[in-house]
């Protein structure tokens, strides 16, 4: 029997991010987990789909909702390699994600610990528990290397 590596949800999200980079997309990956089981995963596909909403988080949340047959993902956790932007943070809130785990902080485009800090707003419908800095070094390195290659540096 061959050895099989058991990947954590964040390692799976990083694999989705690497696959996105291989497709020429910004390397961000996301995984939705319910009761310890992965129910959806995705990487960025904005360029491929010509869709500015095709962020990894949005695609993973959509797939998870379809899989469970509900617009709400109560009891689900989302693992994503980059701090969500305002659009994704809003979708996470509306989907009622229980916990958000993210890798690299995004001082320029993030909306959780940076920028608008959506979940700290009194008008936020639902704020998940947030845990930042998961595999932060690896997630940040993927992004740095991707953009370095794009700039030809």
């Amino acid at each position: 029997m061959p050895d099989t590596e058991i990947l954590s949800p964040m390692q799976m999200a990083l694999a989705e991010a690497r696959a996105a980079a291989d497709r020429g997309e910004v390397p961000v990956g996301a995984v939705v987990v319910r009761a310890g089981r992965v129910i959806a995963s995705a990487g960025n596909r904005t360029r491929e789909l010509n869709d500015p909403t095709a962020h990894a988080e949005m695609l993973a949340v959509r797939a998870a909702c379809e899989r469970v047959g509900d617009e709400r993902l109560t009891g689900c956790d989302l693992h994503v390699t980059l701090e969500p932007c305002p659009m994704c943070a809003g979708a996470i809130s509306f989907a009622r994600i229980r916990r958000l785990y993210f890798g690299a902080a995004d001082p320029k485009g993030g909306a959780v610990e940076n920028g608008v800090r959506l979940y700290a707003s009194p008008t936020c419908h639902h704020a998940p528990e947030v845990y930042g800095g998961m595999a932060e070094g690896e997630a940040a390195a993927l992004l740095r290397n991707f953009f370095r290659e794009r700039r030809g540096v």
Side-chain angles (χ1 to χ4, degrees):
M1 176 179 250
D3 289 335
T4 56
E5 183 179 355
I6 297 175
L7 298 178
S8 71
M10 187 55 77
Q11 288 301 317
M12 293 176 74
L14 286 162
E16 288 283 357
R18 286 189 288 277
D22 290 344
R23 293 189 302 271
E25 302 278 359
V26 174
V28 178
V31 172
V32 178
V33 176
R34 176 181 258 175
R37 298 186 60 161
V38 172
I39 61 170
S41 65
N44 273 358
R45 292 185 179 276
T46 58
R47 297 178 64 107
E48 175 187 340
L49 300 175
N50 296 316
D51 180 354
T53 70
H55 289 195
E57 303 95 306
M58 299 293 286
L59 296 173
V61 165
R62 286 178 190 148
C65 287
E66 187 173 325
R67 179 149 188 210
V68 302
D70 195 345
E71 69 189 79
R72 303 253 169 102
L73 296 173
T74 306
C76 290
D77 301 332
L78 178 67
H79 302 257
V80 62
T81 59
L82 181 65
E83 177 183 357
C85 71
M87 172 183 67
C88 294
I92 291 163
S93 175
F94 286 120
R96 305 299 194 266
I97 295 285
R98 177 179 61 177
R99 292 185 195 108
L100 167 65
Y101 299 90
F102 71 85
D106 188 354
K108 184 177 176 183
V112 177
E113 292 183 350
N114 292 285
V116 300
R117 297 181 182 178
L118 179 70
Y119 304 137
S121 170
T123 60
C124 181
H125 294 280
H126 166 79
E129 295 175 31
V130 176
Y131 303 92
M134 304 300 184
E136 182 175 19
E138 190 173 353
L142 271 172
L143 289 158
R144 266 193 316 274
N145 293 338
F146 177 81
F147 288 112
R148 186 177 296 132
E149 288 176 19
R150 286 281 188 251
R151 289 189 299 269
V153 178

